[in-house]
Amino acid sequence: AFRDPVYSIATMVRTAMPRFLTSMVLTPLAGMLLTGSVNFADGYPMIMEIAESSERCLRLNIPEDDDAHMVFLSIPSPTFEQEEAETPPWITKYSGMETYFFGQMLEITTKKRKKIALPRKFPGSPSEEIKAAMDSFIEYFEGEEKAGLQVKLSNPKSSSTRTMETFWFTPIVINHLRKAVRANADERESSPLEGYSACFVNTNPDFPVRMVVDSVMTSEEFGVGDDDNVSSEDASFDGAHLTPLAEQLAESLSAAQSVIREMNYMERRESRMRLTADSINARVRYFSYISVGVLLVVTYVQVTYLKRYFRKKKLL
């Protein structure tokens, strides 16, 4: 998507490598130490494809007394098996759409700013062409905005874990990964030597998903030089008391969408049944008309026959 040959080679290698090689490539890139007053490490986003009903994991090494911010983005994969012969419109615009989201990821992770925490929204707006491609995919996906891909962050040295649902074209920004994964806010734990684990679980039975991942190392402690809790931290980590509420809200939204889909199905089914009933009523009406006509004809024939019979026998 980018003209930079280093990016192109790195992207192809990362996409083609198996899981354990991907972890080996990501580990040294994400584990770069920052010195002096530099707070960010430059790098390119990594893209990985999670096949239907499968799981892929990677590990992120964080140096002792340092922390990291991570950005996740779910985008559709154009490699799925199409049932229609005609190519969907969003696939023809996929290259431009991918280029736009990669540029926005780089804007979030590489742009210098006063605050250390990363913004949780893309700084730019898509063009009309990209927006039309996004709308085309959402329509192709039956209006479902949930990507069906879960992100699980965990520390192998503890039972602390975080699970998040992803949505199409919507970034998930996790500032201060060590704090985000930590179950108890007051708990102090060292970074595991084997790295933090980020697993991606695709629950879609027939649609692969591409996950764009980027990380930024920071040597500043949490709360120094930023207002992460207020404006930049992911919404589900603003406070421990908000997590159950966020989960209940997500379940309510999912239930509401399910009810809406069921109502739309019932409306379409009612329309089909009404057409079928009208067709049956019309056929019954025509059959009744034909039956009455046949009855009149038979009556006329019988009366005529009886008259001729009686006249022949000279009874009339």
Side-chain angles (χ1 to χ4, degrees), residues 39-289:
N39 295 323
F40 296 93
D42 294 335
Y44 291 100
M46 182 186 71
I47 184 170
M48 56 192 305
E49 182 164 315
I50 297 88
E52 304 89 329
S53 303
S54 64
E55 176 179 356
R56 295 190 67 180
C57 297
L58 58 84
R59 293 193 181 278
L60 176 70
N61 284 345
I62 302 178
E64 189 70 26
D65 298 328
D66 285 350
D67 209 338
H69 310 318
M70 296 197 72
V71 184
F72 306 97
L73 177 67
S74 294
I75 60 176
S77 172
T79 60
F80 75 105
E81 296 182 359
Q82 305 177 32
E83 296 180 356
E84 302 86 354
E86 184 180 355
T87 302
W90 63 272
I91 292 185
T92 59
K93 308 288 185 173
Y94 187 82
S95 178
M97 188 167 57
E98 188 180 69
T99 301
Y100 164 75
F101 285 114
F102 265 82
Q104 292 299 305
M105 292 281 285
L106 289 174
E107 279 287 322
I108 288 181
T109 56
T110 61
K111 187 177 181 180
K112 302 302 179 182
R113 57 182 62 86
K114 294 181 180 180
K115 296 180 176 60
I116 297 174
L118 305 180
R120 62 170 181 243
K121 294 182 179 180
F122 286 144
S125 300
S127 63
E128 292 297 329
E129 183 179 5
I130 300 301
K131 191 174 186 304
M134 295 164 58
D135 294 340
S136 173
F137 169 76
I138 295 297
E139 182 179 356
Y140 181 85
F141 211 62
E142 298 180 354
E144 181 63 49
E145 296 184 356
K146 186 178 292 186
L149 186 72
Q150 293 181 339
V151 178
K152 295 182 179 180
L153 301 175
S154 60
N155 182 351
K157 283 192 173 182
S158 69
S159 59
S160 300
T161 182
R162 291 283 186 180
T163 302
M164 297 161 289
E165 289 285 348
T166 60
F167 294 83
W168 295 118
F169 314 119
T170 303
I172 295 181
V173 179
I174 305 300
N175 287 313
H176 302 287
L177 178 64
R178 297 174 64 176
K179 168 186 175 291
V181 176
R182 197 178 303 151
N184 185 1
D186 299 329
E187 181 182 0
R188 299 295 296 177
E189 57 187 23
S190 59
S191 297
L193 296 178
E194 61 271 32
Y196 285 86
S197 175
C199 292
F200 310 101
V201 182
N202 185 5
T203 59
N204 293 302
D206 51 5
F207 198 89
V209 180
R210 286 186 177 179
M211 173 60 68
V212 184
V213 185
D214 202 359
S215 62
V216 177
M217 292 294 171
T218 175
S219 57
E220 294 289 349
E221 294 182 359
F222 169 70
V224 178
D226 64 26
D227 54 351
D228 187 56
N229 275 338
V230 177
S231 61
S232 299
E233 185 64 55
D234 184 75
S236 59
F237 301 119
D238 283 348
H241 63 285
L242 292 181
T243 301
L245 182 60
E247 293 177 352
Q248 292 178 4
L249 180 59
E251 293 177 357
S252 300
L253 291 175
S254 178
Q257 291 177 354
S258 177
V259 171
I260 292 175
R261 287 195 298 269
E262 187 68 22
M263 291 177 64
N264 292 334
Y265 169 75
M266 293 298 295
E267 183 179 0
R268 293 192 299 268
R269 182 179 178 183
E270 181 185 2
S271 178
R272 291 197 304 268
M273 295 297 293
R274 183 166 57 253
L275 293 176
T276 303
D278 292 342
S279 176
I280 293 175
N281 291 335
R283 293 179 182 180
V284 170
R285 184 169 60 253
Y286 295 148
F287 178 77
S288 301
Y289 293 157

